[in-house]
Every structure is written in C-alpha cells, then in structure tokens.
Amino acid sequence: MNDNVDVRDNPAQHRYEIAVDGDLAGFAVYYLEKERIVFIHTEVAIAYEGRGLGSRLARQALDDVRGRGLRVVPACPFFARFIKIHPEYQDLTRRGQSSRAVLGEHDE
C-alpha cells in the first residue's frame, strides 16, 4: 500500500481515527474510565476494507495506550480478537475482567 496513512487520537470525538491520503477511512470508538480505556466499536469504510487498516488502527491505538499507561478493556469484538491473536498486547488487559460487566455498569 503506497497510500499516506495516518492514525491519530481524536479525544473530542472519543475515537482513534485512521486516514488515508487525508480521507477518514475508519475509527475505533472508546471511552475513558479512570485509568483504563474501553474500546467499544471499530469501523473501516467499505472502500478501504481488505487493506489491513483495521489492524493498523488497532496496533497504533494500543501502542499509544501503552505509552499513556492505561489498561485496555476490549469490549469491541474486533479489538478483543486482535489482542487475542497478538500476545504482545495481552498485558494491557486485566485477567478475569469482563467487558460485559463494564458495559452493564453504564446501561440505563
């Protein structure tokens, strides 16, 4: 892929975004809860599917989160699967922590 790809945190929108040649190609929505970040939804635009952008977004978001010293709750199935198959990120999660319970705390 020769495109210019940029991943950045957009705290005002509560999401990490991935842009290709300046166009928004996808995002991962999160919320912060004390010293942890809960990833709740990830999307890649249909026009950009199949290029590995979701994985690149997850990798760079998790690297940023590690640098910020936050714990990760992968409530989003994409992030949960990504962390499961990439053991180098498993230390960012806490064993026995249920994303379902975390989400349940915020249900109205």
Side-chain angles (χ1 to χ4, degrees):
M1 177 169 27
N2 294 331
D3 300 319
N4 181 21
V5 178
D6 179 46
V7 175
R8 64 186 174 280
D9 183 13
N10 182 342
Q13 295 285 326
H14 304 281
R15 65 188 193 181
Y16 280 87
E17 299 172 339
I18 188 163
V20 176
D21 293 329
D23 294 326
L24 182 65
F27 56 86
V29 180
Y30 66 81
Y31 66 86
L32 292 173
E33 187 177 74
K34 297 185 182 176
E35 294 183 9
R36 62 186 182 177
I37 187 167
V38 182
F39 286 98
I40 58 173
H41 181 70
T42 303
E43 282 187 36
V44 172
I46 293 170
Y48 295 98
E49 287 181 350
R51 294 173 152 188
L53 293 175
S55 293
R56 187 164 178 178
L57 173 62
R59 182 176 308 281
Q60 289 189 247
L62 292 170
D63 287 344
D64 184 60
V65 166
R66 183 186 305 281
R68 294 167 57 190
L70 298 172
R71 288 287 188 187
V72 173
V73 178
C76 166
F78 182 84
F79 266 76
R81 186 174 56 252
F82 184 88
I83 290 170
K84 183 178 182 180
I85 64 174
H86 292 90
E88 65 271 28
Y89 293 107
Q90 292 172 5
D91 65 305
L92 294 174
T93 64
R94 292 187 178 148
R95 290 183 165 236
Q97 188 175 46
S98 169
S99 60
R100 187 174 184 183
V102 170
L103 291 175
E105 292 172 8
H106 298 284
D107 290 344
E108 296 183 296

